[in-house]
Amino acid sequence: MSTLLQDLNYGARIARKSPAVSLVAVLTLAVGIAANTTVFSWIDATLVRPFPALPNSNELVSFESLRPNGEPITTSYPDYRDYRDQLKLLRLAVASPTPVNLGEQDQAERVWGEFVSGNYFDVLGVKPLLGRAFSPSEYGDKPAGYPVTVISYALWNRRFQRDPNVIGQRIRVNRQELTIVGVAPERFRGTITGIAFEIWIPVVMASQLNAWPEWMLRDRQSRVLLGIARLRPGASVQQARAEAAALAHQLARIEPRTNEGISVTLLPIWQGHFGAQASMRGPLSILMAVCGVVLLIVCANVANLLLARAMTRQPEFAMRIALGASRVRLGRQLLTESLVLAVCGALGGSLLAIWMIKSLALLVPRSELPVFLDVRMNGDVLAFSAVLCAAVCLLSGIAPALHSGRADLNDVLKQGGRGGGSGHKRRRTQSALVIAEVAMALVAIISAALFARSFQIAREIHPGFDTKNVIVTHLYLSAAGYSVPDRKLFCQRLRQRLESQPGIEQVAYADHIPLGLYPGPWEPIQVEGYVRGPSENMQIYRSVVAPGYFNLLRIPLLEGRDFTEQNDLKTQPVMIVNESFVRRFFGGGYAIGRRVYGWGQWFTVIGVVKDSKYQTSHERPLPFFYVPFRQVYRADLGIALYVRASGDINHAFRTMRSEIRALDPNVGVYDATSLAEFITASLFSQKMAASLLAGLGIFALLLAAVGLYSVVACSVTERTQEIGIRMALGARSVDVLRLVAVEGMRLTAVGLLAGIAFAMAVTRVASPLLVQVSATDPLIFSGAALFLAAVTFVAAYLPARRASRIDPNEAVHRQ
């Protein structure tokens, strides 16, 4: 221990003796460690430990139904009951997000909650901070039978000022009274990663709260529930998955009308398709890989700095060896010096990471959902930083330790510490490190360029509708106690009022907004005269829209006519389809008059509209259909209001709010935004990858340039006498300039070739995340290589220029 303390003390003194080198090394290490720590903390919060408040969260799995084509979907309540009662290897709970109005009508607050199964908290293992969770007597399936609720710590703190007597109090939710039976732990926010819910209500109360009609609890096609399950002791994911799939196959035979082709699967939470992990999993994986590359560049850079500093200490090393110090002892001392820098870098990096961690919130798109990512420094993140510190110490210190341990007293005395065989070996090592830096920097730059180009293309893809001057918002009429007929009447009256106001050009409404954070609704259909293929997916995405929807969004009507207000429950059901629907089901022929079965009735096609984008901006054309709002709208559907402004969009915002409040002050406008801003949510993963990789690419570029500069500058210092002799013998400044610059560019060229080969292998992994960009795009590869070459040329030119100005007389007589 005393020897270690001596080494640490001596290492600190060496660091203070060369403050410039130490400061550069520490700052470089701090940024590299901070970047890796930051991305790891994001991975920890969204993929590794998304539910920190839950005990034994490794036993939890995502329970997902599957469409015939393998696409994940949610689960219906009747299916949930069958799985809950018959599966032996797991315990299943379900939840569905919902906005609710909390409090009295004139002072109602909108909060987001979840309708959950009675066993929800039991399956999760959540122990309330106050009170209790739902009791076994409240696990039943009786509609409107359990008027109780559990609230979040945040809601308890904000609305009840942490009143310890809150248990047993009644609270009005959607104008219905519920009894508060528990307060959840502070860090429990529900089971959808990235969303913070504030209230949990038994799902059987949904109809009582006007959120769903009661029949949805009996309808197997109403798949609105997200499943989460806990494996029973001794059960593996594979065993439980096989059991669940077998039961799904059995249900498909028993209920072919609703469950044919529907299967289920179990996935680790981080692989689930519902939550922040679904959109962040790919970008975070790429970011972590590139951060690793950047950290290697950092280590190579610091190793070069330490090798350069070791050059001036050759006499010291040789003398210590001559006095009896073993080479192992000397190497340990140098590793300890590296450890001092690594620890300082890790401490600085951890402090920097605390600030950088919060930057993720700046990239989160605006959404009507209460997005919340619980990212913080914790024990796992600190342990990761400690491991990075150890790795950095080893990677950056091993080269100086090995080379300095080879110092020879006779060689040092003969060469004056400036040359010799060890110097040549050191320069070869430094050159190899620079080549590695350039190669890895090229990988980082290419990755950043690929995702930047992908994001640019995705952003420029026309969605198939016009977003200019269009405002969108969600109307949560169910939370205000509106029945289905009242909701239809409210929308009709609101439309009439708004269209009569100056600055409002058009108004329409639908049950959802395209290109949001989550996929839109779908419906199983049959097409008259169409022969379904084996296991063909007939569950087609759709939208319930009001007349004028296509005109407002400038979606061209190619055939037939639009819906009218006369298309209501008293008239023949009608439908409008898109081009892809016609190609798939009608062979590209005439569509008007053809019939499609859905919602238990036959619809007649009255129009064909041009394809647009529905789920993502880069999706392939897919079949889609529309049905009239007044004819099909039901209690479980949302309402999205569209307003096209003819003038100032801010004036239209104010007009919309005032008219809604004039109709009913209990209907709040909480998430109004422009449609152009709303659809950027679908680009979240692209924006996240492009933004963060750009920062890492710039940092890697600077490190490579600094590394090359330091090596060339060190070489110039060592070759000062040689250069002076050359110039004394007639060499021109331009010859010296070319000699030194070519040496630097030779290292760059080798690094670029290695980097291109490495990048071609690495970037293929990212190809599924790229939009209309090849993972080996020759323009991006060549452009990145030329850009890096230009920067490194400047880095090599600066010391070369200094070498060309050496005074021959002074250089020749230098000792």
Side-chain angles (χ1 to χ4, degrees):
M1 179 60 71
S2 60
T3 304
L4 176 60
L5 292 177
Q6 289 177 358
D7 288 346
L8 289 172
N9 182 55
Y10 188 70
R13 284 164 48 198
I14 291 296
R16 288 194 298 269
K17 286 180 63 177
S18 51
V21 172
S22 299
L23 181 61
V24 171
V26 168
L27 289 177
T28 303
L29 289 170
V31 175
I33 291 175
N36 279 268
T37 301
T38 298
V39 175
F40 177 79
S41 68
W42 295 344
I43 291 175
D44 181 66
T46 57
L47 303 180
V48 180
R49 299 196 316 157
F51 309 131
L54 302 184
N56 301 318
S57 58
N58 60 308
E59 297 175 357
L60 294 174
V61 291
S62 177
F63 183 96
E64 299 179 1
S65 296
L66 299 174
R67 299 169 74 177
N69 63 352
E71 181 181 355
I73 56 175
T74 44
T75 302
S76 68
Y77 194 76
D79 283 354
Y80 153 71
R81 287 187 304 182
D82 288 327
Y83 291 122
R84 175 196 65 190
D85 297 339
Q86 298 184 49
L87 293 176
K88 307 300 182 186
L89 298 180
L90 56 80
R91 293 185 294 148
L92 175 63
V94 289
S96 180
T98 183
V100 297
N101 279 1
L102 209 62
E104 300 299 330
Q105 295 183 27
D106 57 344
Q107 297 179 344
E109 172 190 7
R110 194 196 75 166
V111 301
W112 275 86
E114 289 185 289
F115 286 124
V116 299
S117 55
N119 64 347
Y120 179 78
F121 291 102
D122 179 57
V123 169
L124 298 180
V126 174
K127 303 299 182 185
L129 182 68
L130 292 178
R132 62 174 177 85
F134 303 137
S135 65
S137 62
E138 295 161 343
Y139 290 4
D141 305 315
K142 180 183 177 181
Y146 313 105
V148 293
T149 183
V150 174
I151 64 174
S152 71
Y153 179 92
L155 183 61
W156 177 55
N157 180 54
R158 184 180 72 253
R159 192 175 181 89
F160 297 96
Q161 291 75 50
R162 286 188 282 187
D163 179 5
N165 299 314
V166 71
I167 304 303
Q169 292 187 25
R170 292 181 177 273
I171 186 172
R172 292 185 71 84
V173 178
N174 290 3
R175 301 184 179 180
Q176 304 296 320
E177 284 197 347
L178 301 179
T179 301
I180 299 174
V181 298
V183 175
E186 182 175 0
R187 297 191 68 188
F188 179 74
R189 298 180 178 88
T191 48
I192 300 181
T193 308
I195 307 296
F197 297 104
E198 294 193 295
I199 189 169
W200 293 270
I201 305 165
V203 69
V204 292
M205 294 297 298
S207 60
Q208 185 74 10
L209 272 58
N210 292 313
W212 305 342
E214 185 180 322
W215 58 262
M216 283 185 61
L217 296 177
R218 304 187 301 272
D219 182 22
R220 290 187 183 272
Q221 293 190 86
S222 297
R223 304 181 190 279
V224 295
L225 298 170
L226 300 170
I228 186 167
R230 183 178 291 276
L231 299 173
R232 293 191 182 276
S236 67
V237 175
Q238 293 76 14
Q239 291 171 333
R241 183 186 295 133
E243 182 191 29
L247 181 53
H249 184 67
Q250 181 181 344
L251 288 176
R253 290 199 313 268
I254 298 172
E255 302 285 349
R257 187 183 66 84
T258 58
N259 285 53
E260 184 180 4
I262 299 295
S263 183
V264 297
T265 189
L266 302 178
L267 298 170
I269 297 298
W270 69 272
Q271 290 183 355
H273 294 88
F274 304 101
Q277 76 276 12
S279 57
M280 296 180 66
R281 185 166 54 238
L284 285 179
S285 301
I286 298 299
L287 282 170
M288 193 74 256
V290 174
C291 278
V293 169
V294 169
L295 188 65
L296 291 176
I297 299 175
V298 166
C299 293
N301 206 285
V302 173
N304 260 328
L305 288 173
L306 296 182
L307 276 171
R309 186 170 70 181
M311 178 186 71
T312 63
R313 299 173 61 192
Q314 287 296 308
E316 171 200 339
F317 298 148
M319 189 63 68
R320 292 179 64 178
I321 291 173
L323 293 175
S326 69
R327 298 182 186 275
V328 172
R329 177 70 181 80
L330 185 60
R332 191 178 69 186
Q333 170 63 49
L334 290 168
L335 281 175
T336 304
E337 294 175 13
S338 175
L339 177 63
V340 170
L341 296 178
V343 169
C344 293
L347 292 174
S350 297
L351 294 175
L352 183 59
I354 293 174
W355 173 77
M356 292 175 63
I357 282 172
K358 300 177 182 178
S359 63
L360 183 60
L362 303 176
L363 300 174
V364 174
R366 181 172 179 175
S367 170
E368 73 277 12
L369 292 169
V371 176
F372 180 84
L373 295 171
D374 189 12
V375 185
R376 60 179 68 187
M377 294 289 285
N378 55 39
D380 289 348
V381 175
L382 291 175
F384 179 78
S385 297
V387 171
L388 284 183
C389 176
V392 163
C393 168
L394 185 63
L395 292 173
S396 60
I398 191 69
L402 290 175
H403 280 269
S404 299
R406 297 172 182 171
D408 181 81
L409 179 60
N410 293 326
D411 181 62
V412 169
L413 292 176
K414 290 177 182 178
Q415 302 296 331
R418 296 188 297 271
S422 63
H424 291 302
K425 292 178 181 179
R426 177 184 49 75
R427 283 196 294 272
R428 285 198 298 269
T429 301
Q430 286 184 307
S431 298
L433 290 173
V434 167
I435 290 171
E437 284 188 66
V438 171
M440 290 183 288
L442 183 61
V443 173
I445 295 169
I446 287 175
S447 299
L450 286 172
F451 277 92
R453 179 58 180 155
S454 175
F455 176 58
Q456 180 186 18
I457 291 175
R459 190 172 53 182
E460 292 175 353
I461 293 175
H462 192 275
F465 49 86
D466 183 13
T467 63
K468 186 178 180 181
N469 286 348
V470 177
I471 303 168
V472 291
T473 189
H474 289 89
L475 300 177
Y476 297 101
L477 299 180
S478 62
Y482 280 74
S483 64
V484 170
D486 289 340
R487 294 181 214 176
K488 293 181 180 179
L489 181 60
F490 181 93
C491 291
Q492 189 175 9
R493 292 174 60 193
L494 177 61
R495 179 176 186 166
Q496 292 170 352
R497 293 176 67 103
L498 284 173
E499 288 184 337
S500 66
Q501 298 298 317
I504 303 296
E505 182 179 338
Q506 290 171 295
V507 179
Y509 37 92
D511 67 332
H512 87 291
I513 306 172
L515 301 183
L517 279 176
Y518 296 100
W522 51 269
E523 196 72 25
I525 65 168
Q526 300 175 32
V527 179
E528 188 175 45
Y530 180 79
V531 180
R532 175 184 176 182
S535 300
E536 181 180 359
N537 179 26
M538 296 296 289
Q539 294 157 348
I540 306 301
Y541 287 109
R542 54 86 182 148
S543 185
V544 179
V545 303
Y549 174 87
F550 304 109
N551 192 23
L552 184 148
L553 290 180
R554 309 292 191 258
I555 300 175
L557 184 66
L558 304 178
E559 297 178 32
R561 67 171 177 85
D562 194 359
F563 301 131
T564 68
E565 293 294 345
Q566 284 68 47
N567 294 129
D568 57 17
L569 294 173
K570 299 177 182 179
T571 61
Q572 169 67 36
V574 292
M575 173 184 293
I576 293 175
V577 300
N578 71 348
E579 296 173 285
S580 295
F581 192 102
V582 174
R583 283 193 296 269
R584 175 172 167 181
F585 297 113
F586 303 143
Y590 195 66
I592 306 301
R594 302 292 290 270
R595 297 206 307 165
V596 178
Y597 186 84
W599 286 284
Q601 55 188 333
W602 286 98
F603 288 76
T604 301
V605 176
I606 63 169
V608 178
V609 295
K610 194 172 182 62
D611 285 347
S612 56
K613 303 297 183 182
Y614 309 103
Q615 315 303 332
T616 66
S617 62
H618 53 278
E619 69 191 9
R620 293 176 296 176
L622 73 157
F624 198 92
F625 69 92
Y626 306 84
V627 288
F629 187 88
R630 297 193 65 191
Q631 211 166 61
V632 177
Y633 183 79
R634 62 191 190 190
D636 61 307
L637 304 180
I639 299 177
L641 179 68
Y642 295 74
V643 175
R644 178 175 287 280
S646 58
D648 181 14
I649 195 170
N650 293 319
H651 173 73
F653 267 114
R654 293 190 294 270
T655 301
M656 180 184 68
R657 291 178 183 274
S658 64
E659 290 301 322
I660 291 175
R661 179 167 291 276
L663 266 179
D664 187 346
N666 297 311
V667 179
V669 178
Y670 303 98
D671 55 9
T673 184
S674 69
L675 181 58
E677 181 180 355
F678 180 90
I679 66 174
T680 59
S682 63
L683 301 176
F684 169 58
S685 61
Q686 293 286 331
K687 179 181 179 181
M688 175 183 172
S691 303
L692 299 178
L693 284 174
L696 290 173
I698 292 172
F699 183 54
L701 176 69
L702 292 175
L703 288 177
V706 169
L708 182 63
Y709 173 85
S710 63
V711 167
V712 176
C714 183
S715 175
V716 169
T717 300
E718 291 181 327
R719 298 174 63 185
T720 298
Q721 285 187 330
E722 173 198 337
I723 292 172
I725 293 173
R726 285 176 179 270
M727 298 185 72
L729 294 176
R732 297 172 300 169
S733 296
V734 68
D735 296 326
V736 174
L737 183 68
R738 185 185 304 111
L739 174 70
V740 177
V742 166
E743 178 186 355
M745 294 312 296
R746 186 181 297 115
L747 299 179
T748 297
V750 176
L752 290 177
L753 291 175
I756 289 173
F758 186 31
M760 292 186 72
V762 170
T763 54
R764 293 181 186 275
V765 180
S767 57
L769 300 175
L770 300 174
V771 177
Q772 298 182 14
V773 177
S774 169
T776 55
D777 187 294
L779 289 178
I780 290 178
F781 271 64
S782 57
L786 288 174
F787 180 64
L788 181 56
V791 173
T792 52
F793 173 77
V794 174
Y797 173 79
L798 294 177
R801 185 183 179 191
R802 188 186 68 186
S804 67
R805 296 180 177 181
I806 290 176
D807 184 343
N809 293 324
E810 180 182 344
V812 169
H813 292 89
R814 180 176 295 181
Q815 297 298 321

